[in-house]
Amino acid sequence: MPYRPEIYDWAREIIDKQMHTLIAGCSGSGKSKAEESILYTMMEKSPYENLFVLLDTKKVELVDFQNAPHCAKYSDDPAEIPFILKKVEEIMQARFSRMKAQGLKKTNEPTLWIVIDEYYDLMTLCNKKDTMPILTRIASAGRAAGVLLLACTQRTTRDVVGGMISANCSVKLGLRTVTAQDSRNILQVKGCENLPKYGKGILQIDGINKTIDIPMTKEEYIHDRVDSWNRIDWRSRYGNRQ
């Protein structure tokens, strides 16, 4: 699929909505490609607007973004992830304190996206007692503080994509699933089982569904965008908006 700026409109819609987001589909459905397209689109704006923490337990899916100035932290070590999430929780609480002092209901600080490449790995490779309570806290309270989850998984069973994640993610992107029940687990409606293997998805925002085209963002596009941010003095150009 050739590069066209307008095919990223769906990613801009997700980012601008400023809500917790779930991306789910069977293995090989293009989850990582959708994830890359969203991160690539986040970097249209400066780090004063979008920051991300990348949790890449597969060690290869998010590595192209780790040197971007938007990347506050990258980790591919499951043993390290609980400590990173604890730090994120502390950042969230500090933002709430500053909001209270300034009389704000919503933060004016950069959006901090916690990008989880495989949510199921956090349930199995990390200590659930250390990770799940923090994720639940972020999911329930993080939006006002500008701390948002972008959780991705190829496990589309109800025990993984249901519960806390389903209840708190108002934005969901369903990719190809094996069965109609898997689709219902993600979106509460069938349809993902009829999608092509990759290249399309069903985007659900506030319960409204639409089918979208999902580009394969080439590695050279990502590297060019990362390099372009690292080549400029973006602090002087964009100013400190915190």
Side-chain angles (χ1 to χ4, degrees), residues 214-229:
I214 300 173
M216 185 182 78
T217 303
K218 295 182 179 180
E219 285 188 17
E220 54 260 40
Y221 296 161
I222 297 171
H223 295 163
D224 284 348
R225 185 158 285 181
V226 170
D227 290 343
S228 69
W229 278 108

Side-chain angles (χ1 to χ4, degrees), residues 24-26 156-158 161 174-195 202 204 209:
C26 66
T156 55
T157 53
R158 189 175 298 171
V161 297
L175 306 175
R176 172 70 181 267
T177 60
V178 176
T179 69
Q181 182 57 53
D182 290 337
S183 179
R184 285 190 286 267
N185 292 342
I186 302 166
L187 300 176
Q188 291 76 55
V189 296
K190 63 181 182 179
C192 292
E193 74 282 3
N194 297 321
L195 292 171
I202 298 176
Q204 181 183 93
N209 298 338

Side-chain angles (χ1 to χ4, degrees), residues 199-211:
K200 286 188 179 291
I202 298 176
L203 178 62
Q204 181 183 93
I205 298 181
D206 294 330
I208 299 173
N209 298 338
K210 64 178 177 181
T211 302

